[in-house]
């Protein structure tokens, strides 16, 4: 694989412009940062699929497109299916010798939101990973169905207020805990699974490169801060993402071959979950006296998860 150098941010971020500006994502949306980072980390040809969601509707408004690469838009369920179909065809044509350039390196990548990844496209993603196609699936996890008005998904964290699980005088908002997609994908035996965040851009680029280099089905969950539904100022996207990684609400780690767990980022100073929640309007109600106990519960859950990750890393099982 032709890897782009990741020594210098300015150089890295301008080397390979394959997602053009003038798209219609909200100012401050992290989706485009993550997509651009993926495209900048390799010089290989890319075949990309995106299902319906904010990324797709905002980057392909007929007759325009922001995608300067092969790009397939497909139904909400099928980002994994579409790109793995292309991968299977490429493999077959390579075997038969019918490609125009037999040796041109090509990588296959699917982008899906959490609504499609954790819920509506889950079965298709599971099938594609189980079949072992050579592709990378990247979930843009903003913890809600943003494109259709901020409904809860199974990635929505407990205590968050959404349009279908609103907080009010009788409810603290979402009642279910977030689905552990990393564990589920690792349990498929995927050769490479990682959780990454755009504020830690070098770690993210290295993780993307590792996934692209690894043969087989790789899964990456990325934290994608959503200014509109998380309710913070668009200029604060990276600051809020810093709070997400440094409070360990989004720990950064990888799992190799379904079992070898490595923590990729250890905050110098772990900040309180209260600081992360307090920076976003979707958690505002938790600071009222009747719901403060939820902040303690969330902190406990985050602490327990971090302890589990550290034990698994140490155990080297
Ligand atoms: C089968 C199906 N169900 C529902 C929809 C409507 N729909 C389109 S985009 C969307 C929300 C997408 O949420 P997510 O996947 O999390 O991406 P985001 O917009 O948050 O980036 C929904 C529900 C659809 N297009 N197809
Ligand atoms: S609603 Fe959220 S995910 Fe959608 S474009 Fe705006 S900031 Fe991005
Ligand atoms: Mg979403």
């Amino acid at each position: 694989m032709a890897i782009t150098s990741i020594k210098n941010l300015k150089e890295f971020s301008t080397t390979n412009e394959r997602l053009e500006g003038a798209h219609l994502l909200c100012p401050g949306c992290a989706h485009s940062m993550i997509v651009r980072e993926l495209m900048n980390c390799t010089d290989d040809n890319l075949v990309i699929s995106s299902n319906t969601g904010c990324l797709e509707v905002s980057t392909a408004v007929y007759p325009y497109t922001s995608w300067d690469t092969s790009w397939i838009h497909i139904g909400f369920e099928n980002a994994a299916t579409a790109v793995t179909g292309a991968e299977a065809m490429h493999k077959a044509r390579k075997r038969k010798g019918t490609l125009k350039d037999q040796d041109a390196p090509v990588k296959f990548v699917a982008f899906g939101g959490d609504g499609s990844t954790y819920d509506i496209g889950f079965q298709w993603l599971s099938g594609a990973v189980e079949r072992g196609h050579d592709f990378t699936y990247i979930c843009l996890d903003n913890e809600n169905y943003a494109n259709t008005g901020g409904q809860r998904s199974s990635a929505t964290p407990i205590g968050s207020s959404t349009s279908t699980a609103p907080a009010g005088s009788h409810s603290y908002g979402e009642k279910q805990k977030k689905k552990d997609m990393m564990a589920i994908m690792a349990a498929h035996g995927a050769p490479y699974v990682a959780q990454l965040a755009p504020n830690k851009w070098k770690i993210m680029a290295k993780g993307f490169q590792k996934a692209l280099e690894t043969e087989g089905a790789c899964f990456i969950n990325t934290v994608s801060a959503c200014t509109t539904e998380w309710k913070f100022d668009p200029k604060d996207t990276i600051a809020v993402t810093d709070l997400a990684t440094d409070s360990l609400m989004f720990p950064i780690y990888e799992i190799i071959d379904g079992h070898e767990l490595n923590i990729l980022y250890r905050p110098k100073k772990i900040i309180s979950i209260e600081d992360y929640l307090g920076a976003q309007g979707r958690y505002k109600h938790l600071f009222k006296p009747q719901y403060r106990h939820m902040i303690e519960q969330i902190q406990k859950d985050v602490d327990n998860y971090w302890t589990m990750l550290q034990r698994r890393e140490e155990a080297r099982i």
Side-chain angles (χ1 to χ4, degrees):
M1 178 178 112
I3 286 181
T4 310
S5 161
I6 49 173
K7 281 191 195 123
N8 174 314
L9 178 58
K10 193 172 172 202
E11 194 185 298
F12 174 79
S13 60
T14 51
T15 40
N16 221 338
E17 296 287 4
R18 291 192 273 191
L19 182 76
E20 306 291 347
H23 51 65
L24 299 176
L25 291 159
C26 301
C29 177
H31 280 6
S32 59
M33 301 178 196
I34 297 162
V35 171
R36 291 185 75 241
E37 186 149 344
L38 179 278
M39 293 171 135
N40 284 350
C41 80
T42 177
D43 291 329
D44 289 357
N45 296 316
L46 291 168
V47 177
I48 292 187
S49 73
S50 312
N51 51 2
T52 314
C54 277
L55 178 68
E56 170 267 323
V57 301
S58 305
T59 56
V61 182
Y62 183 80
Y64 304 106
T65 178
S66 297
W67 299 87
D68 194 4
T69 184
S70 298
W71 182 76
I72 310 165
H73 166 234
I74 192 80
F76 200 33
E77 311 87 341
N78 296 130
T81 322
V83 91
T84 54
E87 184 263 350
M89 180 192 69
H90 183 262
K91 209 185 266 165
R93 288 192 58 182
K94 193 162 186 172
R95 201 172 49 237
K96 288 180 188 161
T98 58
L99 290 170
K100 234 188 214 164
D101 182 350
Q102 280 291 117
D103 298 319
V106 189
K107 300 289 176 209
F108 296 85
V109 177
F111 285 106
D114 53 290
S116 71
T117 306
Y118 285 62
D119 297 338
I120 299 177
F122 178 72
Q123 171 184 338
W124 288 266
L125 169 60
S126 174
V129 175
E130 181 272 323
R131 289 191 301 275
H133 288 279
D134 189 10
F135 82 117
T136 295
Y137 188 99
I138 298 174
C139 175
L140 303 169
D141 184 7
N142 58 15
E143 305 185 315
N144 76 98
Y145 289 82
N147 182 230
T148 40
Q151 296 84 4
R152 59 86 63 187
S153 75
S154 59
T156 301
I158 192 167
S160 161
S161 184
T162 66
S163 59
T164 47
S169 49
H170 295 289
S171 174
Y172 56 76
E174 173 63 26
K175 297 281 183 297
Q176 312 300 326
K177 289 186 182 173
K178 179 171 180 147
K179 188 189 273 184
D180 190 344
M181 200 63 182
M182 288 284 289
I184 294 168
M185 286 294 111
H188 280 67
Y192 189 70
V193 169
Q195 180 155 273
L196 304 170
N199 58 327
K200 301 291 159 207
W201 73 272
K202 268 191 192 175
I203 300 174
M204 180 175 249
K206 279 188 195 161
F208 283 160
Q209 289 179 338
K210 206 160 171 178
L212 294 176
E213 275 171 54
T214 301
E215 212 182 313
C218 301
F219 174 81
I220 309 242
N221 202 61
T222 59
V223 49
S224 187
C226 169
T227 156
T228 306
E229 299 301 338
W230 294 17
K231 303 188 192 335
F232 61 82
D233 196 297
K235 73 173 174 25
D236 292 333
T237 303
I238 291 299
V240 167
T241 313
D242 280 340
L243 295 171
T245 55
D246 289 23
S247 64
L248 300 173
M249 190 76 172
F250 267 90
I252 304 301
Y253 64 105
E254 64 183 11
I255 305 173
I256 296 167
D257 292 332
H259 63 93
E260 185 192 324
L261 192 148
N262 301 308
I263 292 170
L264 300 175
Y265 171 64
R266 283 185 169 73
K268 279 199 188 84
K269 184 176 174 305
I270 297 173
I271 60 159
S272 139
I273 211 67
E274 215 170 309
D275 294 345
Y276 171 67
L277 304 177
Q280 302 164 65
R282 64 178 172 152
Y283 293 116
K284 196 171 66 189
H285 55 286
L286 297 184
F287 291 82
K288 290 184 179 158
Q290 78 259 39
Y291 297 139
R292 273 205 88 96
H293 64 282
M294 287 306 299
I295 299 182
E296 282 162 39
Q297 185 185 322
I298 295 168
Q299 182 72 68
K300 215 179 273 172
D301 290 347
V302 167
D303 292 347
N304 287 341
Y305 202 84
W306 183 238
T307 304
M308 182 275 292
L309 291 179
Q310 287 176 300
R311 285 199 182 136
R312 276 196 55 191
E313 185 185 48
E314 277 163 26
R316 289 261 156 254
I317 42 169

